Amino acid sequence: MAVDRDLIAKEAAIGMYDEPPHRDEKRGSALLVAFPLLLIPVAIYNLLAIIAMLGGTDGGSAYGVTTQVLFNLPMPSAGTHWAVSIGDIILFGALICLFFELLKSTKSDRVAIVNHSLSMILFIVCLVEFLLLRPFATSTFFLVTTMTLMDVLAGFIVTAISARKDIDFGH
């Protein structure tokens, strides 16, 4: 009986001989992978906007909250200070979340499809808030909304390309 080494190599490359994970581990990690991390900075901005709306007299008070300077850092150039605001911290956190979302988008399993779908819903919610609600019409929230769009686009593009490569490899 002849052993088809090429067939075994192809099957090993696509993971046919990998051991399946235990059911409990798979559920816990699936929930973590499906959760869109960009929801965290969006939720923080929503909380700040709601607090600003309730405490302020107009919807533009969210802009004041996000541009409020938290602290100043002295810079090496003479007399220069870097003013760090709440909006800057939200954007920094959103960039970190976007990085991890891009890493998660390299998977092409069912959980990744759920993640892409939830990211699309998050983008639609952000877009509606940005266009229709005055406290969300700020540059900070626009950039966070753009990050959710980049997450959606990267997720679908990377998944489509990796799925196409899997199909090409099978032939």
Side-chain angles (χ1 to χ4, degrees):
M1 182 158 130
V3 176
D4 188 0
R5 294 184 190 273
D6 290 336
L7 178 64
I8 291 173
K10 285 180 184 178
E11 290 174 346
I14 60 174
M16 289 185 66
Y17 296 115
D18 295 343
E19 289 185 32
H22 297 292
R23 277 297 203 205
D24 294 336
E25 292 175 9
K26 191 174 181 180
R27 271 190 225 142
S29 66
L31 180 62
L32 184 63
V33 172
F35 178 76
L37 294 175
L38 283 169
L39 182 63
I40 296 168
V42 170
I44 290 171
Y45 189 94
N46 275 294
L47 284 173
L48 288 174
I50 290 170
I51 290 170
M53 262 189 344
L54 295 176
T57 57
D58 64 347
S61 24
Y63 176 78
V65 169
T66 59
T67 57
Q68 180 181 1
V69 176
L70 289 178
F71 54 90
N72 288 311
L73 293 175
M75 300 303 288
S77 57
T80 306
H81 292 283
W82 175 29
V84 179
S85 68
I86 294 174
D88 297 334
I89 292 175
I90 291 172
L91 288 174
F92 179 69
L95 282 171
I96 292 171
C97 291
L98 180 62
F99 171 75
F100 286 109
E101 281 294 319
L102 292 176
L103 290 179
K104 289 189 329 183
S105 70
T106 59
K107 295 185 179 243
S108 60
D109 56 357
R110 278 184 254 157
V111 177
I113 302 301
V114 171
N115 176 268
H116 302 326
S117 302
L118 292 174
S119 295
M120 175 63 91
I121 293 169
L122 179 63
F123 168 68
I124 292 169
V125 167
C126 287
L127 185 63
V128 168
E129 285 179 338
F130 177 72
L131 294 174
L132 300 179
L133 301 174
R134 187 169 180 205
F136 298 93
T138 64
S139 295
T140 301
F141 196 73
F142 171 75
L143 292 172
V144 171
T145 302
T146 304
M147 287 181 208
T148 61
L149 174 63
M150 294 299 119
D151 175 33
V152 170
L153 293 176
F156 285 121
I157 290 170
V158 169
T159 301
I161 289 172
S162 65
R164 191 175 81 196
K165 286 183 181 180
D166 288 344
I167 291 171
D168 290 343
F169 184 73
H171 289 284

